[in-house]
Every structure is written in C-alpha cells, then in structure tokens.
Amino acid sequence: MIKKVSLALCMLLAVSCAELQQVVNQLPTSTEGVLSNETIANGLKEALDLGIEKQVSKLTATDGFYKNDLVKILLPEDLQKVDKTLRDIGLGSLADEGLKVLNRAAEDAVSEATPIFVNAVKEMTFADAKNILLGSNNAATTYLETKTNTELYAKFNPVINESFKKVGADKIWSSIITKYNSIPLTNKVNPDLTDYVTEEALSGVYKMIAIEEEEIRTKYSSRTTDVLKKVFALQDKK
C-alpha cells in the first residue's frame, strides 16, 4: 500500500510547479469567487460518493469479484503450483471451487466498506480538495486509501475469516492443501489465505473507485451534476 501512495505522490510532483501555480491562482479562496471553497470540496466529495455508489456496490454482489477481471482474486504465487498440480491429476473442479470461494469471501466483506468510506469523504477539507483537484487521475482515490486503509483492513480481516466459514472456503482449502501436501515429492504449503484475500479485496475496492474517478476527470459526459461539471472544469485547465 505504501508503494501505491508513493507512486501517486510521484505523479503529483511530475506536474511542473509553474502549471500548478497557474491553476492555484485560478482557484477561488473565498465565497466571493466564481466557485466557493465549499462548492469545490463538495464536487470532489460527490465524485468519490459516485465511485462508492456505482462501483463498490457492484463488488458486494454475487460474482462481483469472481466475474470481474479487473479485480478477480487469483491465487497467490505459492498456491499457483497447487492449482496446477490438482488440475494435472484430474481435480480441476476442486481447484475451480477453491478460487471461487476466495472471491466469495471478498464479496461478503466489501459491504463493511461503505460506512467507513462515507466518514472519510465527510472529513475532506478544502485543502484536501484543492490538492486532489490538481492531482493525478486517481488523486481522490489515493486520498481515500490513505484515510481508510488501516480501518478497512481491521474490518475486512475478521469478516473474511468468518466468510471463509460461511461459504465453506475453510473446508475446501483444507481439503485442497491436504490433498496437495499428500502428493509425494511436493513442498508442503500452509498459506495465510485470510490475510491474502483481505489485501486483494482492499486493492479491488480502490481500483474500482479509481475507475469511476478517472471517468469523471476525463469524460465530460460522466459529470452528471452541475457541481461536478463546474468543479472539474477547473481541473481541465491544469
């Protein structure tokens, strides 16, 4: 996650100081301007709310992860050899089910994200909004990630652990790993799937919000309200 934040910061720094200053000079600093500080902040909040409403909600549905190639949770590296071995010995259906239940657990956990996101959006200040407006195409998503990642992980992890039990993932993976470990000459595996799926679920959530943010930033037709049109018209000038 630190790498993602660092990458976003580098992208911000890549914009020349002169260009940034020019845009900053055009941003109103009081309610006497064309757009008030509050309007600008509200525009950015609205963009994030749209991402949460349109994209995150999709992930909570059945197959929200499993049939979405952008966020589908694949097996960690140490289990890819398990998957291949099972398929080689005619247990492809068991391997398929093992992959599916990992995604089911993520879909179950994402419903916990919305209230945490809503609170983070409410806390956005004008200073936050101005930096986001001048930032890269995923600057608002990066803001949300830095504000929510720790809390979301704490929420997701126990939910995914319980989801494993609910969807039968614990039994399925216990069976898969037991079968694999019983094959002669294989290196034994015992991965922490709860932690892995938690991290992958978080990554998927932020990726989907970033998609909506980029749509609003780059496509006028995606700015579906007057506030979004006015605020992101300022961004277009950078």
Side-chain angles (χ1 to χ4, degrees):
M1 296 300 172
I2 292 174
K3 289 182 180 178
K4 292 181 182 177
V5 176
S6 297
L7 178 59
L9 289 174
C10 290
M11 291 173 70
L12 283 174
L13 292 173
V15 181
S16 74
C17 294
E19 289 174 328
L20 286 177
Q21 189 59 51
Q22 183 179 2
V23 180
V24 169
N25 290 339
Q26 295 178 29
L27 291 176
T29 57
S30 71
T31 55
E32 296 175 359
V34 177
L35 293 181
S36 69
N37 294 349
E38 183 180 5
T39 299
I40 292 174
N42 285 342
L44 270 296
K45 291 178 180 180
E46 194 167 302
L48 281 172
D49 284 339
L50 271 177
I52 294 166
E53 179 185 349
K54 291 179 64 176
Q55 301 296 343
V56 177
S57 60
K58 293 178 183 177
L59 298 178
T60 64
T62 300
D63 291 328
F65 273 85
Y66 189 62
K67 291 188 177 180
N68 183 340
D69 289 338
L70 291 172
V71 296
K72 183 177 180 178
I73 297 175
L74 304 177
L75 295 177
E77 186 176 350
D78 59 342
L79 286 184
Q80 290 174 14
K81 59 186 178 183
V82 176
D83 182 88
K84 183 179 184 304
T85 301
L86 290 177
R87 295 182 191 280
D88 287 345
I89 63 175
L91 294 175
S93 59
L94 181 59
D96 288 339
E97 189 62 23
L99 189 59
K100 183 183 293 185
V101 292
L102 295 186
N103 285 270
R104 287 286 181 269
E107 292 156 10
D108 201 36
V110 170
S111 60
E112 298 287 325
T114 300
I116 296 173
F117 283 148
V118 169
N119 287 336
V121 172
K122 286 180 180 178
E123 292 173 1
M124 184 188 293
T125 65
F126 173 66
D128 292 327
K130 185 168 67 173
N131 289 333
I132 290 168
L133 193 62
L134 299 178
S136 60
N137 282 352
N138 68 338
T141 306
T142 299
Y143 163 84
L144 199 61
E145 184 174 349
T146 59
K147 291 288 186 180
T148 63
N149 186 261
T150 299
E151 187 176 359
L152 278 182
Y153 184 94
K155 282 280 189 180
F156 275 28
N157 198 262
V159 171
I160 285 173
N161 191 44
E162 285 301 311
S163 293
F164 276 175
K165 298 174 184 176
K166 184 171 75 174
V167 302
D170 54 340
K171 293 179 181 178
I172 290 170
W173 273 100
S174 176
S175 174
I176 288 173
I177 291 171
T178 297
K179 286 182 182 296
Y180 177 79
N181 286 343
S182 68
I183 298 173
L185 304 179
T186 58
N187 294 321
K188 304 296 186 280
V189 296
N190 187 27
D192 184 350
L193 287 174
T194 300
D195 178 71
Y196 173 75
V197 173
T198 299
E199 292 285 3
E200 290 296 295
L202 287 171
S203 176
V205 166
Y206 295 124
K207 183 177 290 187
M208 295 305 294
I209 294 174
I211 287 171
E212 188 64 28
E213 179 184 357
E214 184 171 8
E215 285 280 310
I216 292 170
R217 285 185 182 272
T218 60
K219 295 182 181 178
Y220 185 83
S221 59
S222 295
R223 301 170 190 175
T224 53
T225 68
D226 287 340
V227 171
L228 287 176
K229 290 173 183 176
K230 291 176 182 177
V231 171
F232 282 95
L234 292 175
Q235 174 234 244
D236 293 341
K237 297 177 183 179
K238 76 175 185 181

